[in-house]
Amino acid sequence: MAGGLARHLQKEAQSQHNNSEFTEDQKKTIAKIATCLELRSAALQSTQSQDEFKLEDLKKLEPILKNILTYNKEFPFDVQPVPLRKILAPGEEEHLEFEEDDEEGGAGAGSPDSFPARVPGTLLPRLPSEPGMTLLTINIEKIGLKDAGQCIDPYITVSVKDLNGIDLTPVQDTPVALRKEDTYVHFNVDIEIQKHVEKLTKGAAIFFEFKHYKPKKRFTSTKCFAFMEMDEIKPGAIVIELYKKPTDFKRKKLQLLTKKPLYLHLHQTLHKE
């Protein structure tokens, strides 16, 4: 809840000068409130308590929000305004994370910009059917992760790549997960694959990258990925294994995320005229 409000405020804080009813100072205050909401949201999802942002802290923000047009006092918390949340191009966030994680093995080079830019959470509709051709709908049910409850704003990026890691269809992002419980993040969302199955090249694969927001680094990071190859396209339920990032679209150096059996749970439906 706090996370959604934070993004809404953040959007307001970043709206361009002319069409916003807020002054630059007010926008800064709004952006700081967004930060506090992010902190509260992270505190609720974390089990460590050292830098919790407490409910009573949150209550101090209420009068500021109510009187945002006249508020001119010091902001009660020493926080930075939330910057524009970076939604990074596939493969881009790995470079930002190398310093910390020092991981080996690079992902396939980013694909050329052959498809229009995407907005997170906007899924594409099913293609029109063609006689003798099959369309695939994949329902992403849930993903098993040992720290499922601590992921902030988790979503999955779905792409279809050829053996060289080049996109064969536009990339799609699921909306943020429905709920988190125990060791699962639940999505229950349908993805319409944007190419007839018969037209997918030999050796193509459908990739699922699990992403979550890292407040400390202030960007969205890939946690792990899974993929499905062409011979796995068949109606019904399927579970696929999770691999360590960075996403290897060429499928050369695959490392399982953990020794524990963790999977992405999918259900496939084939539509044929």
Side-chain angles (χ1 to χ4, degrees), residues 122-165:
T122 40
L123 296 175
L124 298 167
R126 189 177 308 161
L127 293 178
S129 56
E130 282 182 30
M133 290 283 180
T134 313
L135 286 167
L136 170 61
T137 304
I138 298 176
N139 178 272
I140 300 178
E141 291 178 2
K142 59 185 180 179
I143 184 170
L145 292 168
K146 57 181 195 301
D147 54 352
Q150 287 163 8
C151 299
I152 296 177
D153 292 350
Y155 67 95
I156 290 178
T157 296
V158 181
S159 55
V160 184
K161 309 272 187 190
D162 70 6
L163 271 172
N164 297 313

Side-chain angles (χ1 to χ4, degrees), residues 34-55:
T35 302
C36 293
L37 288 164
E38 292 272 14
L39 290 169
R40 176 66 186 151
S41 180
L44 287 172
Q45 286 164 343
S46 144
T47 44
Q48 290 90 36
S49 56
Q50 64 264 31
D51 49 10
E52 292 274 7
F53 194 85
K54 299 184 180 55
L55 187 57

Side-chain angles (χ1 to χ4, degrees), residues 41-245:
S41 180
L44 287 172
Q45 286 164 343
S46 144
T47 44
Q48 290 90 36
S49 56
Q50 64 264 31
D51 49 10
E52 292 274 7
F53 194 85
K54 299 184 180 55
L55 187 57
E56 51 267 31
D57 296 338
L58 205 57
K59 289 193 175 132
K60 293 182 191 161
L61 300 176
E62 196 185 4
I64 305 177
L65 253 183
K66 280 207 176 109
N67 305 302
I68 189 77
L69 296 175
T70 54
Y71 182 80
N72 56 11
K73 295 191 253 325
E74 250 330 86
F75 195 76
F77 302 104
D78 180 22
V79 292
Q80 291 305 307
V82 174
L84 186 53
R85 180 172 292 193
K86 281 183 81 172
I87 299 274
L88 297 166
E92 203 185 328
E93 72 260 0
E94 277 83 19
H95 305 303
L96 288 177
E97 284 193 81
F98 274 140
E99 307 87 76
E100 177 205 50
D101 297 342
D102 199 31
E103 284 156 342
E104 288 301 309
S111 311
D113 301 326
S114 46
F115 296 106
R118 64 192 200 271
V119 179
T122 40
L123 296 175
L124 298 167
R126 189 177 308 161
L127 293 178
S129 56
E130 282 182 30
M133 290 283 180
T134 313
L135 286 167
L136 170 61
T137 304
I138 298 176
N139 178 272
I140 300 178
E141 291 178 2
K142 59 185 180 179
I143 184 170
L145 292 168
K146 57 181 195 301
D147 54 352
Q150 287 163 8
C151 299
I152 296 177
D153 292 350
Y155 67 95
I156 290 178
T157 296
V158 181
S159 55
V160 184
K161 309 272 187 190
D162 70 6
L163 271 172
N164 297 313
I166 303 298
D167 282 314
L168 299 175
T169 67
V171 176
Q172 301 184 66
D173 291 324
T174 71
V176 167
L178 288 173
R179 66 181 201 282
K180 299 175 275 198
E181 62 177 32
D182 303 332
T183 51
Y184 286 105
V185 178
H186 292 264
F187 287 92
N188 192 21
V189 63
D190 283 341
I191 306 289
E192 303 293 347
I193 299 302
Q194 299 290 302
K195 222 179 178 80
H196 294 89
V197 175
E198 290 79 2
K199 295 181 187 167
L200 289 170
T201 49
K202 193 171 166 3
I206 302 169
F207 280 84
F208 303 86
E209 296 173 271
F210 180 82
K211 300 183 176 181
H212 62 135
Y213 182 63
K214 290 191 160 173
K216 285 205 177 75
K217 297 190 180 175
R218 304 205 157 176
F219 66 85
T220 295
S221 153
T222 300
K223 186 173 178 67
C224 57
F225 71 100
F227 63 88
M228 216 179 83
E229 295 185 309
M230 295 301 98
D231 59 355
E232 295 175 289
I233 295 181
K234 44 184 165 291
I238 179 175
V239 291
I240 54 178
E241 294 179 307
L242 305 179
Y243 295 100
K244 280 186 182 155
K245 63 181 184 181

